[in-house]
Amino acid sequence: MPVSLTILGSGSSGNCAYLETDETRLLIDAGFSLRQIRQRMASIGRAPENLTGILITHEHGDHVQGLAGLSSKFRVPVYCNRPTQEAIEYQSRVKLNCRLFSTGASFELGDVLVETFMIPHDAQDPVGFLLRTGAGNIGILTDLGHTTRLAMERVRQANVLLLESNHDIKLLQDCPHRPWSLKQRILGRHGHLSNEAAAEAAEMIMTAELRHLYLGHLSRECNRPELAHRVMNERLQRIGANHVRLEMATQDAPSPTLTLSPQPVAA
């Protein structure tokens, strides 16, 4: 059966994606208000009442803003590690309906195999995901200050990858609205990937099997979609990755749904 992925939105103020397989309906993060999540799901003919679960990368507000409402209103199971659960419950004062995993563990959610791995970010215990489905593997890799061998090895197996391309370094350094301490945090080893760092990461993990690359988590103030696209596209051309379809995920609206079909087994 086909598998569909919709990036419901991705940026510095909100992140959420929807994955649907034959048996499973998942959100990856819930970084918009409950109302926004409902509206964005409705735009693709889906509703949170039918969710199998919600996977959470970490506790920052742009990834969990609507989580407490989803969990309490619809009793949707939340899949995260214990430090992330504790941080979210402390922030929201709401008890979540959690199914805990240990970072680095793998587990099955219906017909999806969820692989988790550690990423370097200034949260309690942030993770990335590789979601193995019958139609291909989907990698989720945002909110990391630098690339690690572990993260690169995990997402190298992806056919579809959502990769952070957060900021242009010069725009960030020149931004008049951000204090130097915040700029240092973003630029630090537990902050966010710049456009150039994202391009380097893409080169490191490039395989013939990677077919779709989404750039996400772009900063409104310190990046421009055309800048991020140009830097990545130039790198893909330089390394001969002409087989990769490059897409920009946006903060304001869902990306077109990507449908993956199982590949026929060679005789």
Side-chain angles (χ1 to χ4, degrees), residues 52-65:
T52 306
I54 307 170
L55 299 173
I56 297 297
T57 58
H58 65 293
E59 73 273 12
H60 289 167
D62 58 324
H63 293 261
V64 301
Q65 182 185 346

Side-chain angles (χ1 to χ4, degrees), residues 65-222:
Q65 182 185 346
L67 182 63
L70 280 170
S71 180
S72 60
K73 187 175 181 66
F74 303 112
R75 300 303 296 167
V76 183
V78 176
Y79 293 82
C80 64
N81 54 42
R82 186 175 298 280
T84 300
Q85 175 196 15
E86 292 173 349
I88 296 170
E89 291 182 346
Y90 178 79
Q91 292 166 185
S92 65
R93 306 299 181 188
V94 172
K95 184 71 174 175
L96 299 176
N97 176 24
C98 278
R99 307 286 188 273
L100 296 178
F101 60 77
S102 298
T103 300
S106 301
F107 57 94
E108 291 183 352
L109 257 175
D111 53 356
V112 178
L113 177 63
V114 180
E115 297 184 0
T116 71
F117 53 91
M118 182 187 307
I119 58 173
H121 190 53
D122 58 353
Q124 293 300 315
D125 192 2
V127 299
F129 295 113
L130 184 71
L131 310 175
R132 294 186 181 272
T133 78
N137 303 330
I138 299 164
I140 307 292
L141 188 60
T142 66
D143 295 73
L144 65 164
H146 66 280
T147 56
T148 65
R149 181 179 298 177
L150 172 64
M152 296 297 96
E153 286 176 352
R154 293 299 184 92
V155 298
R156 190 173 286 120
Q157 302 169 69
N159 307 110
V160 181
L161 178 61
L162 173 61
L163 177 65
E164 173 173 69
S165 190
N166 177 253
H167 59 274
D168 174 84
I169 293 176
K170 187 174 190 312
L171 286 179
L172 175 60
Q173 290 174 334
D174 294 345
C175 180
H177 310 298
R178 300 195 175 197
W180 181 245
S181 58
L182 177 57
K183 295 179 183 181
Q184 288 293 92
R185 170 192 167 258
I186 294 169
L187 291 166
R189 287 180 62 78
H190 290 80
H192 293 277
L193 290 185
S194 68
N195 295 337
E196 287 291 346
E200 290 170 8
E203 183 171 354
M204 290 170 66
I205 60 92
M206 187 54 59
T207 67
E209 286 70 44
L210 180 64
R211 295 292 174 175
H212 302 271
L213 176 60
Y214 290 90
L215 298 185
H217 214 294
L218 271 70
S219 168
R220 283 189 188 275
E221 293 183 334
C222 303

